[in-house]
Amino acid sequence: YTTVSDKRSDLPEFSIVGYVDEHEFMNYNSDSHLLRPVTQWMEKNEGPEYWDRETQIAKGSEPVYRHNVRTAMSRFNQTGGIHILQSMYGCELRDDGTTGGYYQFGYDGRDFISLDTQRWIYIPTMNEAEITTQRWNSPEVREGERWKNSLENICIPALKRYIEYGREDLERRVPPEVKVWGHRQSDDVTRLQCLAYGFHPRPVEVKWMRNGKDHLPSDEMSPILPHPDGTYQIRVSVEVPTKEADTYSCHVD
């Protein structure tokens, strides 16, 4: 969830993006006022009633988050400018069958509040968040207990349902293609490039090795970037002595 304090920014005033693992599967923003499927497996398996219901819930969140960003601004004694309040929650199914969850807030790119999912109380990560966490943790409000129910009894069943919908796509395994090339920077230095692309899922490790055993720290690594077909790519480069009589190889795991 992202809320922007000033309508004059290039961002929607309010937006929601939903993910299963690294796959975006739905989104909403205050320009369209519609919660929409992003993947075919969500569009195929959930009908109009689901999207209408979730759209109404998202619409109801808009005024709440607009109020929250103004409250956060007041905590910092801010009266203008562009400020961003974000929240993120989720649940996970682990390989051993256990489950987990999280809920956290950020303000202007910094951690603001997080939910302690052992004690189910909110923890302020800066002084300006203390008033809010005291109220949420009070016996009258007990906001953490409400989110305990949401993460354990609503999020987990929904996640299981979404995994079943998109299992073929979510569990797809595509090995990377790899291209390696070099460019002489000077008489003494050559820059080696390794491009791994077309792989899925997203996690990958790419490293340069000297003589098959010595790991060379990269001096430049691109982010892992998505392709339109749902696969990913990453580029890793390193500078090595041009005249050194060693062999270099790129290892992708």
Side-chain angles (χ1 to χ4, degrees):
Y1 291 62
T2 300
T3 315
V4 183
S5 63
D6 196 321
K7 294 181 180 180
R8 293 171 296 178
S9 75
D10 294 333
L11 297 171
E13 188 178 4
F14 177 72
S15 60
I16 303 172
V17 181
Y19 291 89
V20 176
D21 295 336
E22 73 274 10
H23 296 262
E24 181 183 349
F25 72 96
M26 67 86 174
N27 61 47
Y28 172 93
N29 66 65
S30 52
D31 294 336
S32 69
H33 293 292
L34 289 173
L35 189 83
R36 296 181 289 198
V38 175
T39 62
Q40 290 184 350
W41 44 266
M42 277 299 290
E43 187 173 10
K44 176 183 176 182
N45 286 283
E46 294 288 4
E49 289 185 3
Y50 171 89
W51 298 107
D52 289 345
R53 182 181 70 249
E54 296 300 317
T55 291
Q56 293 307 312
I57 293 172
K59 284 182 178 180
S61 297
E62 282 194 44
V64 175
Y65 274 81
R66 283 197 294 268
H67 170 77
N68 287 347
V69 74
R70 289 193 296 269
T71 299
M73 289 174 63
S74 70
R75 300 282 192 262
F76 288 88
N77 295 317
Q78 297 164 336
T79 57
I82 297 175
H83 301 282
I84 297 176
L85 177 70
Q86 293 178 294
S87 72
M88 180 171 65
Y89 76 88
C91 52
E92 59 182 18
L93 294 168
R94 305 187 183 103
D95 291 340
D96 62 3
T98 61
T99 62
Y102 60 88
Y103 188 30
Q104 57 199 52
F105 287 81
Y107 182 69
D108 284 348
R110 299 168 60 195
D111 290 341
F112 192 54
I113 296 172
S114 64
L115 177 62
D116 181 336
T117 55
Q118 299 299 314
R119 297 178 294 164
W120 298 103
I121 62 173
Y122 287 90
I123 307 298
T125 53
M126 56 180 67
N127 293 335
E128 290 81 0
E130 289 183 358
I131 296 175
T132 297
T133 56
Q134 287 173 4
R135 183 170 65 84
W136 287 355
N137 293 334
S138 68
E140 297 79 16
V141 178
R142 295 183 178 180
E143 182 73 5
E145 293 183 12
R146 185 176 74 85
W147 271 94
K148 180 179 188 294
N149 176 67
S150 180
L151 292 174
E152 293 181 348
N153 300 320
I154 298 175
C155 186
I156 291 294
L159 176 58
K160 290 179 179 178
R161 191 169 72 250
Y162 300 151
I163 290 173
E164 195 59 37
Y165 292 166
R167 186 174 299 279
E168 181 178 349
D169 191 26
L170 296 170
E171 296 184 354
R172 181 168 56 126
R173 295 290 183 269
V174 182
E177 301 284 340
V178 180
K179 287 185 178 180
V180 173
W181 69 96
H183 176 70
R184 180 171 290 189
Q185 304 283 86
S186 66
D187 290 341
D188 300 322
V189 176
T190 295
R191 175 172 289 277
L192 301 177
Q193 305 272 7
C194 179
L195 175 67
Y197 62 96
F199 58 88
H200 187 278
R202 187 176 185 273
V204 70
E205 182 181 14
V206 181
K207 57 186 177 182
W208 278 99
M209 304 291 288
R210 180 171 53 208
N211 298 326
K213 58 181 181 180
D214 297 328
H215 175 218
L216 297 175
S218 63
D219 56 19
E220 183 181 352
M221 179 182 295
S222 73
I224 299 176
L225 301 174
H227 284 173
D229 64 358
T231 62
Y232 298 90
Q233 74 168 46
I234 184 174
R235 180 176 53 82
V236 177
S237 62
V238 65
E239 288 188 348
V240 299
T242 298
K243 297 179 181 179
E244 192 171 327
D246 288 321
T247 60
Y248 298 92
S249 55
C250 179
H251 291 241
V252 182
D253 296 314

